Amino acid sequence: MESAQVGLLLLLGLSLLGGAVGAWMFQRLHIPQVVGYVAIGLALGSGGLGVIRPDELERLHLLNLFALGMIGFLVGGELRIEIFRKYAGQFLAILLGEGMAAFLLVGGGTFLILWTVLADTPLALAAAIVFGAIASATDPASTIDVLWEYRARGILTTSITAIVALDDALAMTLYGLGTGAAQLLTGHQADFLRAGWKIAIEILGAMGGGAVFALLLDGLLRQMRRPERALAIALAMILLLSGVAIHSGMDLILATMTMGFTLVNRDPRRSEEIFTILRGFSAPIYVLFFVMVGARMNPRGLPLWLWVIVAAYVLGRNFGKILGSWIGARATGAAPVVQRYLGFGIFAQGGVAVGLSIMAGHHLSGIPVAGGLSLGDAIVFAVTATTLLVQISGPPLVRWAIVRAGEAGRNVTDEDVIAESTVADVMDREVEVFREEMPLAAVIDGFARGHSDVVPVVGSEGELLGTISLQGMRNILADQSTWRWLLVSDAVEPAADTTRPDAPLGEALRYMNQLHLAQMPVVEVKDGKKKPVGMLDLQRARRRIAEEVLRRQGDMAA
Amino acid sequence: MSTGIGLGIGVPHVRLPSIRQVLMAAGICRPPLRDCESIDNAPVGLIVMIAAEEKQDGDSLTLLASVSARCKDENFRHALFQASTPAEVHRLLVG
């Protein structure tokens, strides 16, 4: 038992390492990192080297559920209610357009193939309806991963996020009705009332549960503000909601997505911090999740007619997504970039489609088709193969769409600029210095002229002796007679804290914040002496960072 | 160092790493010293020496300002110059 657990630990380590290396390699080829995770998973899984066995995947199923819960929560955090209010009609039209077009084209294509192979109209129609319903879903996880990786921002990015967040609900509705119809068509018992009730629980229950958990989480976060505690509370609520959702038959992603959506819109400022922490925490979970997605795929051993279905499914689905979203976007007067590129950004297929195919496999396992395969098996095999194809082709197309729309790299934050900057990028270079033998009267004139409250003091060779500040001189400012005889050296404060022009900006700003320093001299060491070359002023540095963020966003927009 | 602050007063002061707490010593010169540099060129009769640690810039500056402010009072200066014992000088400066 213990050796099996150690094996699992080794497997997790190998998957994380392989996924990270694969992502790095693919990124160098300008292919989204998620493709690297999936490719490594495919290489390690039963479709490749067989390092990750199906029974081990089964034991890691809990991790997948947790990852899906996290993904849902983080995707929900991307959605702002004001965007929905503004674009509700547009999103609904695009959603129905792309979902229904994919449903109809995949359904139509698979019907023709199955009807030719099986010569059984009801059976072909039943299978086609289920294939069509599954085809309408889009995978939010890999799509959002690409949007985050390329720091996308803009109306196309917002529309893609909204559509991938919402179309699971459409897919589940179509699936629920589709499987009911399939069972009815094939002579198996079907209860539309029961199917309707199940859909209501899945969708409305998930949304209600997510909203209630968001309120609980918000209440707890108000009480516990320390970041590590907030992280623990948020993770606990995601796990609890995931458990409740799975236990009650609600849709897991929709539930956690609603929790993220409710939280971010109820308290945007406070929740921003928890979403930032969770995004950092989620990175290795994402890697594992997608490696496992790849490992689960085994395209070997499928009959030829299923490969034809796979081809028809992929073509019909992709064309349906492009055509349907174009029709929806055009009908509602969406921005030209949305009309042109949205369809290309919603190809990815993942958890929901695979989940629905497994459910179909369970529901429709008693309906034989051909070659010893049941309708359920055929759906599971075909959806797995199509998932592999679109997981590899989908993310590069999301990247292509956002690059073409000019939205890649626009989601620049202060943290990005800080991480890429050195102290020299934001320091004040034109800094007045005072010599130690100057009378304070001249210094006070200097302060009145200048715009800095702290000025470096230098010795005879230009070496830094310390700083002088208006704050430090507050006790003598009222007594002007002292200004005539006191010197700079009488009021100099030792500059224990200095930084270098080539120091990472983030490090310098963190240090200043910890010590509550408003300014810090920037020095270069020459002949063992520190010579001031600038001043790092916290307030002005923040302003320059904000200007740089706006400049980069503007450049990208232009 | 700035020392002769005028009105017959000299305030030699220094900040050194070896000092533990701010120190002050006072001396009265009779007759006043004539070869001292001073902003009003007046002979220096009262010398107040202040020593502080390098980082005690705030304390040392406050003490300098306080000595300067008190010595601006002519009656105070007169009483100091007339003091006959160290205890009396201490009482006038610190009390």
Side-chain angles (χ1 to χ4, degrees), chain A residues 475 479 481 485 490 492-493, chain B residues 2 5 13 15 57 62 72:
Chain A
N475 289 335
D479 186 0
S481 66
W485 57 271
D490 295 326
V492 68
E493 300 155 32
Chain B
S2 48
I5 70 170
H13 50 277
R15 277 157 57 195
D57 45 280
T62 306
K72 270 198 231 163

Side-chain angles (χ1 to χ4, degrees), chain A residues 198-471:
Chain A
K198 264 195 78 186
I199 297 165
I201 290 281
E202 276 179 352
I203 296 174
L204 298 176
M207 289 167 77
V212 169
F213 271 74
L215 298 181
L216 285 172
L217 176 57
D218 192 33
L220 288 166
L221 288 176
R222 279 169 202 264
Q223 302 302 318
M224 302 180 201
R225 295 180 182 185
R226 282 175 54 182
E228 63 276 16
R229 205 159 287 160
L231 173 66
I233 294 290
L235 285 176
M237 296 306 276
I238 292 171
L239 285 168
L240 283 171
L241 178 59
S242 303
V244 169
I246 294 162
H247 190 72
S248 338
M250 299 174 195
D251 179 59
L252 167 61
I253 298 184
L254 197 61
T256 53
M257 202 184 282
T258 310
M259 177 160 76
F261 174 74
T262 311
L263 184 72
V264 80
N265 288 290
R266 192 176 151 78
D267 197 345
R269 213 162 46 84
R270 198 194 315 275
S271 59
E272 187 51 44
E273 193 183 358
I274 192 66
F275 280 108
T276 306
I277 300 171
L278 270 176
R279 256 176 231 127
F281 179 84
S282 66
I285 297 170
Y286 265 47
V287 177
L288 280 177
F289 175 76
F290 287 113
V291 170
M292 297 305 151
V293 167
R296 207 171 293 118
M297 293 169 181
N298 185 0
R300 290 187 291 200
L302 291 187
L304 181 68
W305 64 271
L306 255 185
W307 279 112
V308 180
I309 284 189
V310 167
Y313 179 102
V314 172
L315 289 174
R317 182 173 176 274
N318 290 1
F319 187 62
K321 295 262 171 192
I322 295 171
L323 181 70
S325 56
W326 178 78
I327 293 170
R330 202 169 168 80
T332 50
V337 287
V338 176
Q339 294 184 25
R340 238 174 268 151
Y341 303 119
L342 190 124
F344 295 94
I346 52 175
F347 282 175
Q349 173 174 286
V352 169
V354 174
L356 290 179
S357 74
I358 291 167
M359 277 165 65
H362 180 69
H363 287 145
L364 308 172
S365 58
I367 305 169
V369 277
L373 279 175
S374 72
L375 180 57
D377 291 338
I379 289 170
V380 172
F381 287 147
V383 171
T384 305
T386 58
T387 302
L388 172 65
L389 291 175
V390 289
Q391 277 294 18
I392 287 169
S393 62
L397 281 165
V398 178
R399 174 180 175 266
W400 178 83
I402 54 168
V403 168
R404 292 283 299 179
E407 295 189 1
R410 279 177 63 184
N411 196 13
V412 182
T413 61
D414 287 8
E415 283 66 32
D416 300 326
V417 173
I418 291 171
E420 293 165 16
S421 304
T422 61
V423 168
D425 296 326
V426 297
M427 70 181 188
D428 297 331
R429 290 168 188 277
E430 309 263 319
V431 174
E432 192 171 11
V433 294
F434 295 142
R435 300 182 75 89
E436 60 174 332
E437 68 276 11
M438 282 168 71
L440 280 191
V443 166
I444 287 163
D445 278 354
F447 274 121
R449 279 197 317 273
H451 55 270
S452 183
D453 296 340
V454 179
V455 174
V457 174
V458 294
S460 55
E461 293 175 35
E463 78 279 17
L464 182 78
L465 297 176
T467 57
I468 190 165
S469 66
L470 276 173
Q471 172 71 10

